[in-house]
Every structure is written in structure tokens, then in C-alpha cells.
Amino acid sequence: MGMYLGLDAGGTGTRCWVADETQVLGCASIGTVKIMAVGEEVATERLKRVITEAAKKANVPLDSITRTCIGLAGNSSHAVCQWAERTIASVASGEIIILGDEEIALEAAFQGGPGMLVIAGSGSNVMGRCSDGTRVTAGGYGPMVGDEGSGGWIGIEALRAGLRARDRGVSTCVLREIEDFWELDDLGELVARANQRLRPDFSELCMVVATCADGGDALAISVLERAGEELASQVSLVISKMKALSTCKVQDFSQLAFTGNVLGKIPRVRRSMEAHLSAMMPELKFADKPVEPLEGAVWRARKG
Amino acid sequence: MGMYLGLDAGGTGTRCWVADETQVLGCASIGTVKIMAVGEEVATERLKRVITEAAKKANVPLDSITRTCIGLAGNSSHAVCQWAERTIASVASGEIIILGDEEIALEAAFQGGPGMLVIAGSGSNVMGRCSDGTRVTAGGYGPMVGDEGSGGWIGIEALRAGLRARDRGVSTCVLREIEDFWELDDLGELVARANQRLRPDFSELCMVVATCADGGDALAISVLERAGEELASQVSLVISKMKALSTCKVQDFSQLAFTGNVLGKIPRVRRSMEAHLSAMMPELKFADKPVEPLEGAVWRARKG
């Protein structure tokens, strides 16, 4: 019987599943293995450890692995891919497949078939795949100059909107709650913290914004609804790019899967995105729960 | 005869004028003395040096200075003000007045009187002063969560808009020219650079955007026009706040002065701001050249 490893190595964490032909036998998670963030030494140690731990929990020896599929943030860099391949090969046997972290999510949703996927977690990204395998994307340019509708975008936009509201004498829960979350004493410290040259992780703030929205704060609600609108706009861009391809069929852009904490855990964002898209494209079908990217990695490891 | 020092200590540079009762006798400039950016040791050495050099050029002994006025970015921090006072007192005689860097610009425009000033350089900020001295402000929350219409805002918005245009298959001069300016090889490097956790100085990009606009690039033109619109929106907010004050007279918000490289050196931004404001407030009078903040510092040093 084949034994398989699936890995999801994103910007904030790394998770590993060990599976046989039909079920998941063990899993483990650890911090990010992004070399840019933690350095090669830590990244190498983490990647080895998360694999070893998952295998131990599954009670599967690593020299019996048939194939590994890793979804790797930063897989556009050749050096990063080589590092990942070398590191995995040093602990586990078998073939190694390296995909982007967004590609395994697409596989989780459509198992090699056509469809569209929107990811909104700390970053954001939209992909579509046609029946002939052609892929189109929109967004995904990182927290400073892209990632509209993502957790990072929500954090920054909430601060911006909160400060503008303050200039107008309108009070909002958002600035107060972010001050508490960052453990600061006043607005001066808040502004200084937000503008530190070593950029804070604004995506941490999106759950603070969601809490304010649940408490009825109009500004927080409006930021989350705008996030959904931004995501809808990226999806509709992917749809028009798919439509323009002669190889793409109508059913290829008829269903939308999603994943990531923003769409998975903040219903307001998802409802807003779906409402905007439905108004433009009444035929579009929405998935009712988020996809698990690791299912895509394991699917691909099994398939080869 | 009295001898005076005027200093403009902003986020990117420090300038010093030495003047008597009627004219400027010498000047010098040096890098920023912002302690957050360069540390206290470098800041102290720079502040002493720029004063010493200006006095030397003016041929004025520093123990003959009657009064110094410094416009200091970060003057909301008590510790920073104490440091500036101590450092200036260690090289020059006389009284020391510490104002914000935006306050000396307001003095340069209105010599203690009422009026409105919009600053758009690397950051942005709008102030109004009523006849009774009451001041109102809008904006000025720094590059990450405020500073709409500033040089930093223009740099980031141009990148955002350029990447969105690229997603739509529209080519623009902006991404290409920013790649050249940052000496990068491809778009992947551009996105990585923009998203470095140690945030780049996006305000450096605004002259690149202005050059593209002068070459007819529609996207660059649109970003600069939006910058003007953002500044107009901040000004109109200050006007409504002044209107709401019973102590403010109509003539107090009847004229607008400006300063900073964005409004001083990119005519498109200024024309756009003025057009938007004129549409809302046909009576509003605009200054025809930027104010020199150092004139405000020297005016205040003379006046005491």
C-alpha cells in the first residue's frame, strides 16, 4: 500500500499530513518555513521536524513514503524549491512534487478539474482553471501593494477608516480595540506603532475588526463589507479573463470555492463577496464551506 | 541688533538659517535629526553641526544669538523636545522656542494670523487657524495608515494601480520605471521589494510617477489627480471643522497656503486639488507659490 505526505507551507505556518490510499493517519504543525522570515537554518529544522512528528503520530516509517506533495509559499523562486526538495529528501523516501500554496488549495477544491478559487487569509489571491488546464489569476501582490480584501488589508483599512472617522469627530470601537490588542496607552502610540519602519503584522487585527462588527460598530461592518467587495472584484476579473479564452467553457467559471481565515471565519466578508458577485452573475454557484488545502496536497501525492 | 536662528527639522532633512532683524545671513542643511530614525548620538551631532555651519557661513558668533525657533517633527514627545532644547543650548545662546514642523510652515504663511495650510511632501497634513488662535487639523497619521495625497501615498497607490492594471492586461510606464528606479530585474523582485518587512521609502517614487505622467501615462496621471482629490477632501474637512467653531470668521477659511515637494513640484497634484476645492467652494483663494517653512521659524524667533 502507498504512503503519502501532504504539506502546506504558507507564510504563517506549516502543516503536514501522513496518509495511505484512503485516509489520513497522522498530522503535525509548526511555524512558517519561509526562509525570508526565519532564515534557512530554522526553516530546515522546522520542515524536518513537522514531517518527522507527523510520521511518528501516524506510526509510518519515513523510508516507506511513496510520494510527497508540498504547497510552498514562494515557490516561484528556484532556490527555494531546491531547498525544499533537498530538505524533504533528507528525511523521507519517494518522489517529491512542489506546487504553490495556492495550487494545493485549487486541487483540494477541484481535484485537477476546472473551477475558481478565492483565497483570503493574511493575504489574498484568486485563481481560475479551465477544462484544458489553462490557469488565470488576479491579485496576490502582498500586503503593501496588493492583497485587497485580505486580513492584512482589513487591518490597515480599519486603522485608516478609524483615524479618518476620528478627524470627523465620529467615535468607533475599532481604534480603541486595536489599542488594547497592541497593548498601547494612547492614539499617539497607535499611530507610531502602525508606522514603524519594521511593518507590524496588520492581518492580526482582522479578528479585532470582526469582533467590533459583531458588536454593531458601523465602521467595522463597512470595512468588512468593502473587503468582500474587493474580493468580488478580483473574482469577476478572473471570470472575464476566463471568458476571453477560447479554451474555457462556461461551466469552468460557474463555481467558486474558497479558503483562508478571512472567508472561513468572518461570515460578513463572505456574504458581502457573494452578494456582489450574485448581482453581477446570478448563475454563479458558491461552495458552502472552505476547502482544506492539505486535502489537495494529499490528493496530488496519491495521484502523482 | 538681535541675531536669530530658524530651524526646520523634518522627517527627511534638517535646515538652519541665521538671520538678523531684516535678512538671512547664512544657511546650512544636513540629514534628519529624527532620533527614531538615526539614533540620539547621530541626531545630536547633526543638530550641533548644522547650527555651527550656518553661523560660520553667516559670520555670526553663536554666543550672540538672541533667540532660536525650531520646527521639530515629533515635537509631541516631551523627551524629544527636551533633547532639542538641551542640544541647541549647548551650542547657541538665547531663548529657545520649539514648535511642530507644520507650525513653522503655518507661521510662514500667515505670521500669527488666521488661514489654512496644506502640506504634502513625504507625508501630508492640513491645518487651519481661526482669528482667536484656535487650531484644527486633519490627516497626518503617517505613511501606513494616513497621509493621503502625500508622496508616500502616491508611491504606494501607483504600485497598487500598476499591478491591478497588469492583472487586466493594461501596460503602464509606472511599473517599468519603478523597477528601473529601484534597480530591479523583474516584477517578482518589485513585489518582493515593496513587501519587505522593513518598509521601503515609497515617497521616493513620487517623482518617478510625475515623470510618467508628464510622458502621458494615463495611470500615472490618474494617481496624481487622485492625490489632489484626497488633499482637497482633507482641506474641506478642515473648513467644515472651522465653520463649526463659533470663534471662527468666514475670512479665516477663505485662503489656502501650501508647502511640500508634492504640491510644490508636481503641478498636476496642485491643479487637481484646486479644481476639486473650487467646485465645492468658489470663493476660496489659493496661494500661487509654496511657503518656505524656515521663514516662519525666523519670523517667530524674531517675534519671540
Side-chain angles (χ1 to χ4, degrees):
Chain A
M1 187 163 69
M3 286 292 172
Y4 306 96
L5 289 182
L7 284 145
D8 181 10
T12 49
T14 310
R15 295 180 307 137
C16 180
W17 280 4
V18 177
D20 61 17
E21 297 291 351
T22 55
Q23 55 185 332
V24 174
L25 306 170
C27 54
S29 65
I30 204 161
T32 184
V33 297
K34 214 168 171 178
I35 291 173
M36 285 273 284
V38 296
E40 184 164 336
E41 199 179 330
V42 172
T44 304
E45 198 269 328
R46 284 184 176 176
L47 186 51
K48 286 181 185 177
R49 184 136 61 98
V50 77
I51 293 173
T52 315
E53 284 185 8
K56 200 172 159 192
K57 286 188 196 166
N59 200 22
V60 168
L62 281 168
D63 59 4
S64 72
I65 298 298
T66 315
R67 202 178 290 111
T68 296
C69 174
I70 179 168
L72 185 63
N75 74 319
S76 58
S77 155
H78 188 57
V80 168
C81 290
Q82 283 184 315
W83 163 82
E85 188 157 3
R86 205 165 56 232
T87 307
I88 295 167
S90 76
V91 290
S93 63
E95 191 191 344
I96 297 163
I97 299 171
I98 298 178
L99 302 176
D101 61 339
E102 78 288 2
E103 285 176 287
I104 58 168
L106 193 65
E107 297 304 16
F110 304 108
Q111 290 86 42
M116 292 183 301
L117 172 75
V118 49
I119 303 178
S122 53
S124 71
N125 210 348
V126 180
M127 272 152 297
R129 184 162 56 191
C130 302
S131 307
D132 72 337
T134 314
R135 280 180 48 192
V136 295
T137 64
Y141 294 118
M144 277 308 302
V145 291
D147 285 1
E148 286 83 358
S150 69
W153 183 96
I154 289 171
I156 291 178
E157 286 300 309
L159 280 164
R160 279 189 179 263
L163 291 166
R164 286 184 157 225
R166 188 177 170 278
D167 267 347
R168 281 158 181 77
V170 178
S171 94
T172 155
C173 150
V174 166
L175 295 182
R176 220 161 42 236
E177 292 296 321
I178 293 176
E179 244 176 77
D180 280 359
F181 181 81
W182 274 347
E183 299 178 351
L184 304 173
D185 287 332
D186 59 39
L187 194 85
E189 286 188 9
L190 182 76
V191 170
R193 172 72 170 267
N195 290 299
Q196 276 176 348
R197 270 206 68 200
L198 191 66
R199 176 165 45 81
D201 179 3
F202 290 100
S203 71
E204 287 182 349
L205 305 178
C206 79
M207 295 316 292
V208 177
V209 180
T211 306
C212 285
D214 288 344
D217 188 83
L219 186 138
I221 292 171
S222 136
V223 169
L224 296 179
E225 287 178 349
R226 278 201 289 130
E229 192 176 345
E230 291 283 345
L231 293 170
S233 143
Q234 307 268 62
V235 172
S236 76
L237 173 57
V238 162
I239 292 175
S240 41
K241 287 163 91 168
M242 290 175 88
K243 275 187 182 165
L245 291 172
S246 59
T247 55
C248 226
K249 299 178 187 148
V250 174
Q251 61 266 37
D252 298 349
F253 44 85
S254 66
Q255 51 178 329
L256 180 66
F258 69 94
T259 193
N261 278 340
V262 168
L263 286 168
K265 296 192 179 157
I266 312 179
R268 273 179 214 280
V269 177
R270 205 172 116 214
R271 284 197 305 264
S272 165
M273 178 184 79
E274 293 182 357
H276 280 92
L277 285 168
S278 291
M280 290 184 275
M281 284 152 287
E283 317 285 276
L284 187 60
K285 283 191 225 61
F286 302 102
D288 55 7
K289 60 183 184 53
V291 298
E292 166 55 83
L294 274 170
E295 289 180 1
V298 167
W299 175 83
R300 188 62 191 273
R302 284 179 181 138
K303 179 176 161 283
Chain B
M1 187 164 67
M3 287 291 172
Y4 307 96
L5 289 182
L7 283 145
D8 180 10
T12 50
T14 312
R15 295 180 308 135
C16 179
W17 280 4
V18 178
D20 61 17
E21 298 290 352
T22 54
Q23 56 186 331
V24 175
L25 306 170
C27 55
S29 64
I30 204 161
T32 183
V33 297
K34 214 168 171 177
I35 291 172
M36 285 274 282
V38 297
E40 183 162 338
E41 198 178 330
V42 171
T44 304
E45 198 270 329
R46 284 185 176 176
L47 185 52
K48 287 183 183 174
R49 182 136 61 100
V50 76
I51 294 172
T52 316
E53 284 185 7
K56 200 172 160 192
K57 286 189 195 165
N59 202 20
V60 168
L62 281 168
D63 58 4
S64 72
I65 298 299
T66 314
R67 203 178 291 112
T68 296
C69 173
I70 180 167
L72 184 63
N75 74 320
S76 57
S77 155
H78 189 58
V80 168
C81 291
Q82 284 185 316
W83 163 81
E85 188 156 3
R86 205 166 56 233
T87 307
I88 295 168
S90 75
V91 290
S93 63
E95 192 189 344
I96 297 164
I97 299 171
I98 298 178
L99 302 177
D101 62 339
E102 78 290 1
E103 285 176 286
I104 58 168
L106 194 65
E107 297 304 16
F110 303 109
Q111 290 86 42
M116 292 183 301
L117 172 75
V118 49
I119 304 179
S122 52
S124 72
N125 210 347
V126 180
M127 271 151 297
R129 184 162 55 191
C130 302
S131 309
D132 72 338
T134 312
R135 280 180 49 192
V136 297
T137 64
Y141 294 117
M144 277 308 301
V145 290
D147 285 0
E148 286 83 0
S150 68
W153 184 96
I154 289 171
I156 291 177
E157 288 298 310
L159 279 165
R160 278 187 178 265
L163 291 166
R164 284 184 158 225
R166 187 176 172 279
D167 267 346
R168 282 160 179 74
V170 179
S171 94
T172 154
C173 152
V174 166
L175 295 182
R176 221 162 39 235
E177 292 297 322
I178 293 177
E179 243 177 76
D180 279 0
F181 181 80
W182 274 347
E183 300 179 350
L184 304 173
D185 287 330
D186 57 40
L187 194 85
E189 286 187 8
L190 182 77
V191 170
R193 172 71 169 266
N195 289 300
Q196 276 176 349
R197 269 206 68 199
L198 191 66
R199 177 165 43 81
D201 179 3
F202 291 99
S203 71
E204 287 182 349
L205 304 179
C206 80
M207 295 317 291
V208 177
V209 179
T211 306
C212 286
D214 289 343
D217 188 84
L219 185 138
I221 292 171
S222 137
V223 170
L224 296 178
E225 287 179 349
R226 277 200 290 132
E229 191 175 347
E230 292 283 345
L231 293 170
S233 144
Q234 307 268 63
V235 171
S236 77
L237 173 58
V238 162
I239 292 176
S240 41
K241 286 163 92 168
M242 290 174 88
K243 275 186 184 166
L245 291 171
S246 59
T247 55
C248 225
K249 299 177 189 152
V250 174
Q251 60 267 37
D252 298 350
F253 44 84
S254 66
Q255 51 179 329
L256 180 66
F258 70 94
T259 193
N261 277 340
V262 168
L263 286 167
K265 297 192 179 159
I266 312 181
R268 273 179 214 280
V269 176
R270 205 173 115 215
R271 283 198 305 264
S272 165
M273 178 185 78
E274 293 182 358
H276 280 93
L277 284 169
S278 290
M280 289 184 275
M281 284 152 286
E283 317 285 277
L284 187 60
K285 284 191 224 62
F286 302 101
D288 56 7
K289 60 182 184 54
V291 298
E292 167 55 84
L294 275 168
E295 288 179 3
V298 167
W299 175 83
R300 188 61 190 273
R302 284 179 181 138
K303 179 177 162 285

